Amino acid sequence: MGKNLITGYSGSVFTNYTQGYFPRYNAGITNFFKNDKVNVFASYSYNKDKINRISDEQVNFRDNSNAVYERWVSNFNRNTRSETHTINTNFDYFINENNTISFSSNLLFLPKFDYLTNGQTQVYDENYGGLYNFDNTNNSKDDKHNLGFDLDYLRSFLNGSKLTFNAHLTTYDYNRDQEVNSNYYFLDNTLNFSNAFETISKQNTLINTAQIDYILPFSEKNSEFALGVKGSFVNTDSEINQFNIENGNPVFDPNNSNAFEYKESVIAAYSSFEKSWEKLDLNMGLRVEQSNIEGKSLVTNNLLTQDYFNWFPTISLNYQVTDITSFYTNYKRSIERPGYQALNPFRFFLNDNTIITGNPNLQPAIKDYIEIGVSFNNNIYLQTYYRGIEANFIELPLQDNDNNLLVYTPTNLDFSKEFGFDFITFFDINSRWNVYFVTSFYNQEEETFINGSLLKRDRWSNYSELTNSLSFLEDKSLSANLSLIYWSKSQQGFQTVEARLVSDLSIKKTILRKKGAITLSASDLFNQQDYSVTSRYLKQDNYRYLNQDNRFFKIGFSYKFGNTGLDTNQRIKEKKERDRLEKN
């Protein structure tokens, strides 16, 4: 850790206003103080959002002979209102030159998250003859807090080695009240019947991790050995209670109420070795993990267990062929675990027939990645890669054709692989214009068994990105950035995702002796960011067009005060266990 010898106080304030379909804004403040013994950082930000999302959907339900017998055409309009408070703090105490202790926190409070969905559905026969229609309203109110705390200790030794220790705690509480109302109509739009119910659900998660690492540089230059151990322990308790509304009164529904407990422990040990010669750089490592998982439904008493041991090696080589040409190759084996909500078996209703639910039987995905490439002049890269994934999980819309249901649920695929070819470059056209460009042509192949039938599909696609960064005026106080990202038609979980173009433009002007800045930005300049997704395989036949609230412009202002020459200790600890809290 480098130590900035300048002492004093610095801070900044910022605010942004964004106009999309609805307005939204955020504001915040940062503060930093340091002297010879302590570094203290604290920040606070507030976000108030209202976001609109519209989707047009069609489901064609098929009978046992695979013939369409009903077509459901729906429109959903979703409005999300939220208020978020975020607080980050970091405190470093330098006991002496060789010992440092640190405490940090990352606190998120979401007291308001209102999710209102209005839907209309027309039901037709196979020839689009009208049968009936219905509308529905889903109103859910959420609140949550996500509080993370870290304690760190660093010990430096005279031989240049370092010993670090980290202890982490996260407590996460999530509550949701949901009201669903549906009205069914005859062809002449007279009311047939109504259905209403409400659910009350909550999820409490506690994450504890402890980690110790030792880094030893060898007396020989450009050589280092590291090893460490880590334990992570996760406990999640969830429950849902459903009440059917009968004659205006809530009646408890035990068939759709449940409680679920999830416990996970992972013990890992790892080591790495780095070595550099005149022309060759080597980096290799090994991580071993023992995982023990238990999920239990308290109502049905179903018990799900997973116990497994895995090896995860990594190796990378870089060889300098000439002064401007180098060859490199990398191999990495890794694991990706599903989010905690994806493991939760409870259901969220868009309407009576469209359900989002978790899957407690999800397995972790094991990934093997290998890359081979060559670089020229350190700014042009040509490479090819292969990625194989066992038990890759993805949310699929699966039709229950017997009961006219469409259920979005995360599902493990048996195997998926991807290989491709990349070209990457970045360069200066002149002293004021920098360009970054990447294009990748890749093939995705997926296979799995669905209802006893083997399904296997692949598709070639392209991803390309072009970014231009420019500066203007004599003092370069005016800058602009234009970014374009293009995805061709692609495949995700046997679904066909249509092409889309992401475009962003930002302009920044520094003022007040470069202590202040005004920014203007716009997104989705060409209105090409919305896209459609189609599923057509076996007896799955559904389509949806997603019109998301991603076209907006934003204006912002920021100002730095105090000793702006200070380097702050601002940081947020990256924890894979915490990332899984928000992963669906």
Side-chain angles (χ1 to χ4, degrees), residues 215 223 329 454 490 498 554:
I215 301 174
S223 183
T329 182
L454 176 64
S490 61
E498 295 298 324
K554 179 167 67 174

Side-chain angles (χ1 to χ4, degrees), residues 68 71 124-129:
V68 174
R71 303 181 187 273
Y124 302 97
D125 61 20
E126 68 277 15
N127 297 314
Y128 287 95

Side-chain angles (χ1 to χ4, degrees), residues 387-419:
R387 180 186 291 110
I389 309 176
E390 299 177 20
N392 190 24
F393 49 84
I394 186 170
E395 185 183 73
L396 296 179
L398 298 177
Q399 293 173 216
D400 179 349
N401 289 288
D402 295 331
N403 297 297
N404 294 118
L405 295 176
L406 182 64
V407 182
Y408 289 86
T409 183
T411 305
N412 284 117
L413 308 183
D414 286 355
F415 188 74
S416 61
K417 66 181 180 182
E418 178 183 316
F419 63 91

